[in-house]
C-alpha cells in the first residue's frame, strides 16, 4: 500500500507540474481540437472547388451544355476565357483545369466524326489533377451522349456490378481524417509528455530530490506513466465527443469505452517509450529531434495511411513489433466498423506484450541513468 501511495502522490505531482506549464497545456488543447478539426475539413481528398476555365470557340448548344455541367462544389463556376489567356492562367496558377472546345465541335459530333477537346491541367496540384482528369472526361462524355440520344447512354452491361459501400457510404474524407488524427495524436503526445516530464525534472534539479526520498525508480516511472497517460486519455475522450461527434458530425460505430481501453494499453507502451527516449537526451531540443526520427516511421508505416498489406514484407515484419500498428488496427476496427472485443482481442494481447517489454526495457535504462546521476 505504501508503494501504491507513493506512485499516486508522485503522479499527482506530475499533473500539477504539467498544469503549471502553459505551453504544454496549449499543445494538448490545440492537438485535440483545432488540429483534429483542420485535419478533417481543411484538406479535402476529393475534388472540391477546383478552379476551371473554359474556352468556347464553338458557341453552340452542345458547348453550352458542357459549360453548364461544371458547377460547385466540385468545381468553381467556370471562367470564360479567350484562347490567348490559357497559358497565362495556368502559369500564374489561377486555374487547375482549362478546357478548350474547338470550332465546329457540335457540327462534327452530329456528323459522326470524333472531334477532340483539349484539356489543360496544372499537374503541380497533384491530387486535384488526378481525380479531376477522370471526372471531367466523364462529364463531357455524358453531356455529348445525352445531346445525341436525348437521354444518358444506358448500355446494358454483361455483368451488373452492384456496389455496396460500407462504413462510409458517401465517402466522406472528414470521417477518416478526424479519427486518424486523434489516433496519431495519442502516440505523439504520450511520447512528448512523458519525455518532457523527465527532462523538465532534470533541468529543474528536482530529480535529485527524488533520489533522496524513499521511492524506487519503478515507482517514479510508474507515476509518470499513469499521470501522462491519464491526461492523453481524457483529452482523447473529450475530442471524440466534442470535436469529432459534435463539431464535425462523424458517427462513431463502435464502443468508445472499448477504444479507450485499447488506447490505455497503447499508452502504456508509448509512455514507456517516451521515458526511454528522454534518458538518451540531455535537453528538450535533443529529445524533439530524436522523437521525430521515431514518430515519423511509427505513424507513416503503422497502416493508418496505407494498408500494411501494400507495404514490402520486410516493413510488415518490422512494424509487427511496433505498438502503433496494432493500435491503428483496433482503432479502425472499433471506431469505423463497430467491432467488438471478440474481433480485436489479438491486438489487445499484442499491446499488452509490447507494452510490458517496452516498460521493462525503459525501466532498466531509467535505473541506469539514475544510478549514474547518484
Amino acid at each position: 500500500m505504501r508503494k501504491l501511495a507513493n506512485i499516486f502522490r508522485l503522479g499527482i505531482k506530475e499533473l500539477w507540474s504539467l498544469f503549471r506549464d502553459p505551453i504544454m497545456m496549449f499543445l494538448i488543447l490545440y492537438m485535440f481540437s483545432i488540429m483534429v478539426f483542420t485535419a478533417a475539413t481543411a484538406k479535402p481528398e476529393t475534388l472540391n472547388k477546383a478552379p476551371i476555365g473554359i474556352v468556347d470557340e464553338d458557341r453552340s448548344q452542345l458547348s453550352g451544355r458542357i459549360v453548364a455541367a461544371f458547377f460547385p462544389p466540385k468545381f468553381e463556376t467556370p471562367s470564360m476565357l479567350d484562347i490567348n489567356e490559357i497559358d497565362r492562367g495556368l502559369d500564374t496558377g489561377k486555374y487547375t483545369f482549362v478546357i478548350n472546345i474547338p470550332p465546329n465541335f457540335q457540327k462534327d459530333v452530329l456528323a459522326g466524326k470524333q472531334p477532340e477537346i483539349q484539356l489543360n491541367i496544372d499537374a503541380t496540384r497533384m491530387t486535384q489533377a488526378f481525380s479531376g482528369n477522370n471526372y471531367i472526361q466523364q462529364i463531357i462524355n455524358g453531356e455529348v451522349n445525352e445531346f445525341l440520344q436525348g437521354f444518358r447512354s444506358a448500355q446494358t452491361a454483361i455483368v451488373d456490378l452492384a456496389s455496396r459501400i460500407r462504413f462510409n457510404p458517401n465517402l466522406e474524407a472528414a470521417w477518416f481524417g478526424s479519427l486518424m488524427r486523434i489516433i496519431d495524436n495519442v502516440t505523439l503526445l504520450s511520447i512528448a509528455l512523458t519525455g518532457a516530464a523527465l527532462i523538465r525534472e532534470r533541468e529543474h534539479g528536482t530529480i535529485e530530490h527524488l533520489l533522496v526520498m524513499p521511492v524506487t525508480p519503478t515507482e517514479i516511472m510508474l507515476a509518470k506513466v499513469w499521470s501522462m497517460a491519464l491526461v492523453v486519455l481524457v483529452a482523447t475522450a473529450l475530442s471524440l465527443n466534442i470535436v469529432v461527434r459534435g463539431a464535425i458530425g462523424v458517427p462513431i460505430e463502435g464502443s468508445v469505452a472499448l477504444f479507450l481501453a485499447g488506447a490505455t494499453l497503447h499508452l502504456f507502451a508509448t509512455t514507456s517509450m517516451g521515458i526511454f527516449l528522454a534518458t538518451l537526451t540531455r535537453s528538450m531540443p535533443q529529445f524533439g529531434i530524436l522523437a521525430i526520427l521515431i514518430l515519423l516511421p511509427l505513424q507513416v508505416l503503422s497502416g493508418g495511411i496505407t494498408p500494411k498489406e501494400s507495404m514490402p514484407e520486410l516493413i510488415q515484419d518490422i512494424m509487427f513489433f511496433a505498438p502503433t500498428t496494432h493500435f491503428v488496427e483496433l482503432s479502425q476496427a472499433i471506431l469505423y466498423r463497430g467491432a467488438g472485443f471478440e474481433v480485436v482481442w489479438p491486438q489487445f494481447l499484442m499491446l499488452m506484450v509490447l507494452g510490458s517489454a517496452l516498460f521493462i526495457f525503459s525501466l532498466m535504462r531509467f535505473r541506469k541513468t539514475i544510478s549514474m546521476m547518484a
Side-chain angles (χ1 to χ4, degrees):
M1 293 300 297
R2 186 177 63 82
K3 291 182 179 294
L4 292 177
N6 288 340
I7 294 172
F8 176 76
R9 293 190 182 97
L10 288 173
I12 296 298
K13 178 190 73 69
E14 295 293 341
L15 292 176
W16 278 114
S17 179
L18 175 63
F19 294 154
R20 293 192 185 100
D21 190 337
I23 300 299
M24 296 304 295
M25 291 302 298
F26 174 78
L27 178 64
I28 296 170
L29 179 63
Y30 172 80
M31 290 182 64
F32 283 96
S33 57
I34 298 175
M35 200 170 181
V36 173
F37 186 82
T38 54
T41 59
K43 195 180 74 170
E45 297 179 1
T46 55
L47 199 64
N48 184 58
K49 294 184 178 179
I52 183 170
I54 299 179
V55 178
D56 186 1
E57 298 184 275
D58 191 31
R59 304 287 180 178
S60 63
Q61 181 183 356
L62 178 55
S63 65
R65 291 175 62 100
I66 293 174
V67 173
F70 296 93
F71 50 84
K74 292 188 180 296
F75 297 92
E76 291 184 351
T77 302
S79 299
M80 303 308 299
L81 307 177
D82 184 81
I83 192 169
N84 297 321
E85 298 177 293
I86 295 178
D87 289 339
R88 178 172 177 81
L90 292 172
D91 291 343
T92 58
K94 188 175 182 180
Y95 305 106
T96 303
F97 307 99
V98 176
I99 300 173
N100 183 11
I101 304 175
N104 302 318
F105 177 70
Q106 177 177 307
K107 179 181 178 180
D108 291 341
V109 169
L110 293 174
K113 299 180 181 179
Q114 294 183 338
E116 294 182 351
I117 290 182
Q118 185 184 73
L119 174 60
N120 301 275
I121 304 175
D122 181 1
T124 60
R125 301 175 177 180
M126 186 179 65
T127 303
Q128 284 192 339
F130 179 78
S131 58
N133 178 34
N134 296 328
Y135 198 79
I136 290 173
Q137 291 184 37
Q138 293 175 9
I139 290 177
I140 294 176
N141 289 333
E143 292 299 327
V144 171
N145 289 335
E146 185 178 3
F147 176 77
L148 288 175
Q149 301 181 15
F151 55 89
R152 292 199 178 277
S153 178
Q155 298 179 355
T156 303
I158 299 176
V159 178
D160 185 14
L161 181 63
S163 300
R164 184 172 62 138
I165 303 176
R166 301 186 62 187
F167 314 121
N168 190 352
N170 296 324
L171 300 177
E172 295 285 347
W175 291 18
F176 175 82
S178 58
L179 292 175
M180 281 309 305
R181 176 54 60 188
I182 288 181
I183 293 171
D184 288 341
N185 285 348
V186 169
T187 301
L188 190 155
L189 197 60
S190 59
I191 292 177
L193 287 181
T194 48
L198 180 57
I199 293 175
R200 183 168 52 240
E201 285 195 323
R202 186 188 302 156
E203 291 178 342
H204 295 171
T206 54
I207 190 69
E208 285 82 1
H209 298 168
L210 293 177
L211 295 178
V212 299
M213 294 175 62
V215 293
T216 64
T218 304
E219 294 171 1
I220 298 174
M221 184 169 167
L222 281 173
K224 297 183 183 300
V225 167
W226 82 256
S227 58
M228 298 300 104
L230 178 63
V231 171
V232 177
L233 206 61
V234 171
T236 301
L238 292 175
S239 183
L240 277 174
N241 288 284
I242 297 175
V243 181
V244 176
R245 277 178 166 171
I248 305 175
V250 178
I252 297 177
E253 296 295 332
S255 169
V256 174
L258 184 61
F259 164 73
L260 294 177
T264 302
L265 292 177
H266 178 63
L267 287 167
F268 180 55
T270 53
T271 50
S272 301
M273 190 183 304
I275 291 177
F276 175 76
L277 295 179
T279 60
L280 301 177
T281 57
R282 294 180 177 272
S283 63
M284 280 300 298
Q286 291 181 356
F287 175 78
I289 294 174
L290 183 59
I292 290 174
L293 299 177
I294 302 298
L295 284 168
L296 284 179
L298 286 179
Q299 294 183 346
V300 174
L301 304 178
S302 63
I305 301 175
T306 302
K308 65 176 185 178
E309 293 80 9
S310 303
M311 301 178 188
E313 291 187 5
L314 177 61
I315 299 298
Q316 295 184 44
D317 295 338
I318 294 174
M319 291 305 296
F320 180 78
F321 299 99
T324 50
T325 301
H326 307 285
F327 181 55
V328 168
E329 287 182 0
L330 74 86
S331 299
Q332 291 182 340
I334 296 171
L335 298 177
Y336 293 153
R337 300 187 287 272
F341 183 74
E342 68 280 1
V343 175
V344 297
W345 70 263
Q347 287 77 34
F348 272 71
L349 180 61
M350 282 303 303
L351 285 176
M352 289 180 62
V353 173
L354 292 174
S356 300
L358 284 170
F359 180 82
I360 294 172
F361 187 67
S362 300
L363 180 59
M364 294 171 57
R365 173 68 189 180
F366 185 57
R367 283 174 172 167
K368 182 179 180 181
T369 302
I370 287 183
S371 62
M372 291 174 59
M373 295 180 62

